[in-house]
């Protein structure tokens, strides 16, 4: 993809920071890391189900939309990473410079979203384990085990170990999804035709298409990307080319996941006119269908991939959003600029706010696993989740076109167009999400 700043990629402006001397002269595959983490965290079971359903409903027609979704997310993650590297400041520090409203939004978002997401992530990780080991434990207890294991893993390990484990799990996801795509024998001429931007001839086809574009990999994890870039030790503009390669690899990997699942939906479900449920349980249904068609070994292999997909999202959020929350607390308490160098030092991962948010993501949501999720809280969760990506796109445009960013690293026209398109897309989806909420029951 073209350089989204509008500047040549082979010239790097000196940052003036001491860490630039450690940056490599050229970008290389051996430096890849944060992109793998953001790809793994961003693609959850819900994303795979949404893509499966798109394939089952429309065949290959919306393949172009899945790919476009990856390109949109590349622009958002690149912008977040560019802010961290070019300014030496964290994204939350940038948000705080825009006004107190950003702090208020993030505080409410972190509390409500984290509470409900914790339960959803634990439940999603528990489903494939219960299917793999029937009769061992109830779903709720599998969920508790997943949450506690994630807590212990993130609490006692630094970013380097976290990244290695995520890379292994991504490898499992990659092998499983590609195997399934090959196993169902995709119709390549039809798939190539799906690259043409055509809308299905059905009611609400525009909104369904926008939903697929917007749902390909990542919500708050896109904002966490800059923090993972710093945690990797990349803290100066000398790392800019490496970050861009890393980011593109991330969403190429995401593209493989979603295209593979769209192939499965198109061939296995669409051709047989089979419908599956939305949400994580749709993947359990797919496991049953795979067992009928290809045998228990394929179904088991798929469930292992399903677990890897869900669990990377769990530990990715446990780590990445906790880093952001720790930065939020540091900025709120100190009132001074917070820097990427502080994230790179590992201080944030050992801080009490980081660990407090880890506990918040783990223990209060356990109550929701056993008692059901409160109706009003779920509505607020849906609204806040829908509002985050428009917030991210708008604030990145604001930050990266202002004097807060060094002139040579401000947005070029390509980045502005992509971020504006992303902001408009997510605003439409946000309005639809808010409109679709049962507000009469909420106030009833």
């Amino acid at each position: 993809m073209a350089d989204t700043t509008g500047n040549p990629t082979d010239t790097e402006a000196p940052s003036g920071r001491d860490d630039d001397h450690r940056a490599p002269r050229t970008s290389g595959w051996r430096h890849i890391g944060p992109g793998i983490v953001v790809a793994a965290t961003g693609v959850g079971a819900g994303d795979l189900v949404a893509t499966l359903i798109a394939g089952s409903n429309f065949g290959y027609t919306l393949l172009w939309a899945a790919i476009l979704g990856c390109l949109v997310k590349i622009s958002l993650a690149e912008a977040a990473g560019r802010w961290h590297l070019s300014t030496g400041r964290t994204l939350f520090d940038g948000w705080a410079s825009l006004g107190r409203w950003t702090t208020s939004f993030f505080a409410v978002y972190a509390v409500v979203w984290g509470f409900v997401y914790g339960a959803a992530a634990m439940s999603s990780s528990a489903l494939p384990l219960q299917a793999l080991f029937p009769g061992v434990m109830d779903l709720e207890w599998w969920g508790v085990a997943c949450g506690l294991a994630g807590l212990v893993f993130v609490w006692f390990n630094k970013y380097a170990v976290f990244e290695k484990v995520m890379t292994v799990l991504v490898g499992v996801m990659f092998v499983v999804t590609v195997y399934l795509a090959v196993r169902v024998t995709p119709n390549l001429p039809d798939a190539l035709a799906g690259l043409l931007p055509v809308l299905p001839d059905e009611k609400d086809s525009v909104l369904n298409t926008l939903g697929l574009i917007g749902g390909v990999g990542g919500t708050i994890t896109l904002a966490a990307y800059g923090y993972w870039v710093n945690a990797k030790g990349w803290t100066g503009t000398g790392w800019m080319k490496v970050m861009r390669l890393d980011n593109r690899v991330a969403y190429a990997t995401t593209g493989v996941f979603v295209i593979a699942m769209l192939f499965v939906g198109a061939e296995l479900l669409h051709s047989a006119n089979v419908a599956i449920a939305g949400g994580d349980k749709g993947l359990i249904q797919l496991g049953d269908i795979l067992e009928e068609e290809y045998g228990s070994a394929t179904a088991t292999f798929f469930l292992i991939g399903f677990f890897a997909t869900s669990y990377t999202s769990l530990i990715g959020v446990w780590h990445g959003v906790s880093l952001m929350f720790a930065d939020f607390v540091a900025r709120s308490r100190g009132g001074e600029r917070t820097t990427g160098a502080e994230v790179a030092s590992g201080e944030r991962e050992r801080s009490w706010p980081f660990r407090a948010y880890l506990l918040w993501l783990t223990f209060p949501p356990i109550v929701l696993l056993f008692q059901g999720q409160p109706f009003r809280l779920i509505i607020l969760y849906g609204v806040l989740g829908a509002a985050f990506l428009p917030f991210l796109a708008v604030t990145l445009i604001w930050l990266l076109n202002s004097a807060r960013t060094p002139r040579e690293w401000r947005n070029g026209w390509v980045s502005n167009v992509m971020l504006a398109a992303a902001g408009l897309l997510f605003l439409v989806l946000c309005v639809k999400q808010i409109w679709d909420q049962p507000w009469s029951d909420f106030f009833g």
Side-chain angles (χ1 to χ4, degrees):
M1 183 180 170
D3 170 22
T4 55
T5 65
N7 300 307
T9 57
D10 58 351
T11 59
E12 299 287 347
S15 69
R17 288 190 291 275
D18 293 339
D19 49 55
D20 270 359
H21 74 276
R22 296 187 295 107
R25 292 181 181 274
T26 59
S27 56
W29 294 99
R30 66 190 177 87
H31 298 294
I32 299 303
I36 296 297
V37 172
V38 78
T41 306
V43 179
D47 297 296
L48 296 187
V49 171
T51 311
L52 268 174
I53 291 175
S56 67
N57 289 341
F58 308 118
Y60 294 103
T61 304
L62 292 181
L63 179 59
W64 65 272
I67 294 173
L68 182 58
C70 293
L71 296 177
V72 167
K73 301 299 174 58
I74 284 175
S75 66
L76 284 165
E78 188 275 341
R82 178 156 42 94
W83 166 265
H84 277 249
L85 293 181
S86 66
T87 66
R89 300 163 63 186
T90 63
L91 184 55
F92 188 83
D93 192 61
W95 285 340
S97 73
L98 301 179
R100 294 180 63 88
W101 65 277
T102 59
T103 305
S104 301
F105 175 80
F106 182 82
V108 175
Y109 179 90
V111 171
V112 176
W113 182 90
F115 184 37
V116 181
Y117 181 84
M122 287 188 267
S123 178
S124 178
S125 299
L127 278 168
L129 290 177
Q130 188 185 44
L132 284 166
F133 306 104
V136 174
M137 284 194 289
D138 291 338
L139 181 68
E140 293 83 3
W141 288 110
W142 277 118
V144 172
C146 289
L148 293 178
L151 169 69
V152 171
F153 171 71
V154 175
W155 188 291
F156 290 105
N157 287 292
K158 293 184 179 180
Y159 173 80
V161 177
F162 165 72
E163 182 190 288
K164 287 182 174 62
V165 170
M166 292 288 274
T167 301
V168 171
L169 292 174
V170 166
V172 173
M173 292 166 60
F174 189 91
V175 170
V176 170
T177 53
V178 171
Y179 167 77
L180 290 178
V182 172
R183 194 77 170 84
V184 300
T185 317
N187 186 320
L188 294 181
D190 284 355
L192 290 173
L195 296 175
L196 297 174
V198 175
L199 292 175
D201 187 19
E202 296 191 19
K203 183 182 177 183
D204 294 332
S205 62
V206 173
L207 287 174
N208 288 332
T209 303
L210 292 178
L212 181 61
I213 294 171
V216 179
T219 51
I220 194 172
T221 55
L222 291 164
Y225 178 64
Y227 288 85
W228 285 322
V229 163
N230 288 155
K232 179 75 169 175
W234 304 348
T235 54
T237 55
W239 290 99
M240 198 70 76
K241 288 169 67 176
V242 176
M243 181 275 291
R244 285 174 173 152
L245 174 64
D246 178 75
N247 178 45
R248 291 161 190 173
V249 169
Y251 282 95
T253 305
T254 300
V256 170
F257 294 151
V258 297
I259 290 169
M261 295 310 286
L262 192 135
F263 281 7
V264 173
E267 292 297 336
L268 193 62
L269 305 178
H270 181 70
S271 58
N273 198 26
V274 175
I276 61 170
D280 301 339
K281 292 184 179 178
L283 292 185
I284 295 294
Q285 285 182 267
L286 178 62
D288 295 337
I289 295 168
L290 288 169
E291 184 170 8
E292 291 177 12
E293 291 288 329
Y294 304 113
S296 59
T298 296
T300 299
F301 190 49
F302 165 72
L303 289 172
I304 293 170
F306 177 6
F307 173 74
T309 301
S310 297
Y311 206 63
T312 50
S313 294
L314 185 151
I315 60 176
V317 166
W318 263 228
H319 188 276
V321 184
S322 296
L323 268 182
M324 295 182 68
F325 185 79
D327 191 44
F328 157 70
V329 173
R331 183 64 169 75
S332 300
R333 293 178 71 198
E336 299 177 356
R337 290 186 175 185
T338 54
T339 66
E342 291 169 339
V343 178
S345 72
E347 277 183 40
R348 292 283 185 266
E349 293 169 279
R350 297 188 297 270
S351 67
W352 72 261
F354 179 91
R355 289 176 170 174
Y357 196 72
L358 268 179
L359 296 173
W360 175 254
L361 284 168
T362 307
F363 287 105
I366 288 175
V367 176
L368 301 186
L369 290 176
F370 288 94
Q371 295 187 358
Q373 299 181 354
F375 177 71
R376 287 181 172 83
L377 193 61
I378 297 303
I379 292 179
L380 292 176
Y381 167 79
V383 170
L384 286 169
F388 186 82
L389 284 176
F391 167 80
L392 178 62
V394 169
T395 53
L396 284 172
I397 291 173
W398 191 344
L399 290 170
L400 291 167
N401 284 285
S402 72
R404 296 174 181 84
T405 304
R407 184 175 299 278
E408 63 269 31
W409 300 113
R410 292 178 196 168
N411 278 358
W413 69 269
V414 176
S415 187
N416 277 326
V417 168
M418 292 296 290
L419 290 176
L424 183 60
L425 163 67
F426 294 123
L427 181 61
V428 170
L429 294 175
C430 176
V431 171
K432 181 179 184 298
Q433 178 84 350
I434 293 171
W435 182 266
D436 288 344
Q437 297 295 336
W439 292 107
S440 57
D441 296 332
F442 182 88
F443 293 108

